[in-house]
Amino acid sequence: MDEKIKLSIDGKTYEFPVIVGSENEKAIDISKLRSETSFITLDPGFGNTGACSSAITYIDGDKGILRYRGIPVEQVAEHSTFVETAYLLVHGNLPAKEQLRAYSASFTKHAKLHKDMKNFFAGYPTTGHPMAILSAMVCSLSAYYPELVKPEPTPEEIDESAVQLLSKVRTIAAYSYKKSIGEHFVEPNDDLAYIPNFLNMMFSKPGKPYKIDDDVVKALMVLLILHADHEQNCSTSTVRLVGSSWANLFASVSAGICALWGPLHGGANQEVVEMLEEMKKEGGNIKKFIDKAKDPDSNYRLMGFGHRVYKNYDPRAKIIKEQAHKLLTKLGIHDPLLDIAAKLEEAVLKDDYFAQRKLYPNVDFYSGLIYKAIGIPTNMFPVMFAIGRMPGWIAHWKEMKADPKTKIGRPRQIYIGPTMQDYVPVEKRK
Ligand code: ACO
């Protein structure tokens, strides 16, 4: 219970408390390390550093376990909806029937964008990446809802901002797509549920309504649910860090979207499909790409493989792979990229380089093939990830706000620059 870790420095012994999580994960609480010893810890990439305690998501990367509020993600993906999953993550429990109905209804109520916000889209070049537009628009929401952006919002105001974000992110995403293809926006339809409404805004055209296919909706639902949270990843930690300065939820989430965009994080789903296209162009010669990824003199990586936390098959990738096969078969699509992906996975799993480093397919490896089958363009894939991750970002921001232990995030460093030197006036410099 009161376990302590002893640290000996220059013959003096210091004791630090051990913190134990509900799944018996252990941490050494070093919050007094610097004041007691003058040492700090150095951990680039924070692979061994916990920044908070959290009750939202549990991952055991060695065993391939992922649970939302204790519920295995496999069960959530099979039985739940994205709206219900959002409620679970943001509010901490599954909603009762009436709570779920009211929650869904609040998304319908807040789906429309302020009419002035729609003008912003006209200013972007059609070639602009939709993640740039999404992050800017999400941050801009703070300009339209000033009543929600106080440094100390009430719980009701936080919930209101959360619903605004969860609902409007679909509309912003669909409008950024319509803008990029030069088509008119399709307004949200109050009669449609969360995902059909999004698909309708994306793909309906004047005089040509989009036909909702239940299997497409189910596949997209599973993808969004599987992306909904993943504890302290790069974008979620960004949201928490920005929020720790008391920045508002819209601004914090906008920063998270920017962090997600990078190819080593949520941008990887776009990169995977582009990599598979390259492999196809090369006549399916995957060996060339594998060799390049293994070459110590090259920075090249096989996109969609490897994970900081999973040292086993990513449980999300397993479900997404099955969904990809199921949906493509149902839609009668034979995508040669799926064949190349399967060949690549097989070759990688047999290869010592990847085995030694425990590199398995991650969530991004097969997801792009589902988005592609639905008709979502490649540069929108990270946007789809952002829609899915929205509940997680919000849940963490909310938890961070409510935690009395939260302090402004401010890591230390070890300075390695020049020691003290005098200023030299410009005329005397060589
Ligand atoms: N292809 C080839 N080699 C790889 C790959 C890869 N995809 N990923 C890691 N490695 C190698 C590294 O070169 C390194 O080798 P070394 O020990 O010989 O130097 C070793 O495996 C460990 O890699 P790190 O970069 O230290 O692992 P880290 O935990 O920091 O990175 C990451 C994890 C960023 C996901 C990495 O595996 C990667 O770049 N993967 C490709 C991008 C990707 O798919 N990102 C999506 C991740 S899931 C998500 O964020 C939603």
Side-chain angles (χ1 to χ4, degrees), residues 39 135 163 181-182 219 272 277 289 298 300-301 343 402 412 427:
F39 279 73
S135 58
V163 167
I181 55 170
V272 168
E277 296 276 9
F289 293 84
S298 155
Y300 181 77
R301 287 183 172 205
K343 253 173 64 184
R412 293 260 169 186
E427 53 282 3

Side-chain angles (χ1 to χ4, degrees), residues 211-411:
K211 200 167 164 302
I212 306 286
D213 177 323
D214 288 345
D215 291 302
V216 167
V217 172
K218 177 67 188 168
L220 196 48
M221 177 100 73
V222 168
L223 277 187
L224 295 186
I225 290 173
L226 293 175
H227 285 83
D229 191 41
H230 214 234
E231 48 116 309
Q232 311 305 321
N233 55 82
C234 177
S235 56
T236 304
S237 300
T238 300
V239 170
R240 278 185 174 261
L241 189 62
V242 173
S244 76
S245 75
W246 292 10
N248 68 73
L249 180 64
F250 303 122
S252 307
V253 166
S254 165
I257 293 170
C258 293
L260 185 76
W261 190 0
L264 295 191
H265 191 14
N269 52 16
Q270 174 177 347
E271 302 279 332
V272 168
V273 168
E274 287 168 1
M275 173 187 77
L276 295 173
E277 296 276 9
E278 280 292 305
M279 290 173 174
K280 188 174 145 224
K281 262 194 232 147
E282 299 272 338
N285 180 7
I286 55 171
K287 185 172 177 311
K288 185 175 146 190
F289 293 84
I290 294 177
D291 288 347
K292 202 161 126 193
K294 287 159 60 174
D295 180 354
D297 297 326
S298 155
N299 279 332
Y300 181 77
R301 287 183 172 205
L302 288 181
M303 287 295 154
F305 287 91
H307 199 276
R308 170 62 61 79
V309 177
Y310 292 119
K311 301 301 167 198
N312 203 326
Y313 211 103
D314 182 333
R316 303 167 299 172
K318 209 177 282 172
I319 303 173
I320 293 172
K321 182 181 171 183
E322 278 168 30
Q323 283 291 329
H325 281 285
K326 217 157 118 187
L327 185 69
L328 268 67
T329 308
K330 152 78 207 298
L331 298 178
I333 296 173
H334 176 247
D335 188 341
L337 298 192
L338 187 59
D339 301 333
I340 297 175
K343 253 173 64 184
L344 182 64
E345 179 188 340
E346 198 188 336
V348 162
L349 294 182
K350 277 193 211 143
D351 192 303
D352 279 352
Y353 171 94
F354 295 92
Q356 279 159 11
R357 290 166 180 76
K358 300 190 175 161
L359 302 168
Y360 293 86
N362 60 44
V363 67
D364 289 319
F365 190 57
Y366 284 102
S367 58
L369 296 175
I370 298 182
Y371 295 139
K372 187 165 171 261
I374 295 174
I376 294 168
T378 321
N379 66 356
M380 284 284 290
F381 295 176
V383 170
M384 299 309 299
F385 195 149
I387 297 175
R389 183 53 56 87
M390 197 56 74
W393 288 331
I394 293 168
H396 281 274
W397 190 91
K398 193 176 163 184
E399 184 178 66
M400 181 263 317
K401 272 309 237 192
D403 185 350
K405 290 203 190 108
T406 298
K407 288 176 156 205
I408 186 166
R410 207 296 185 194

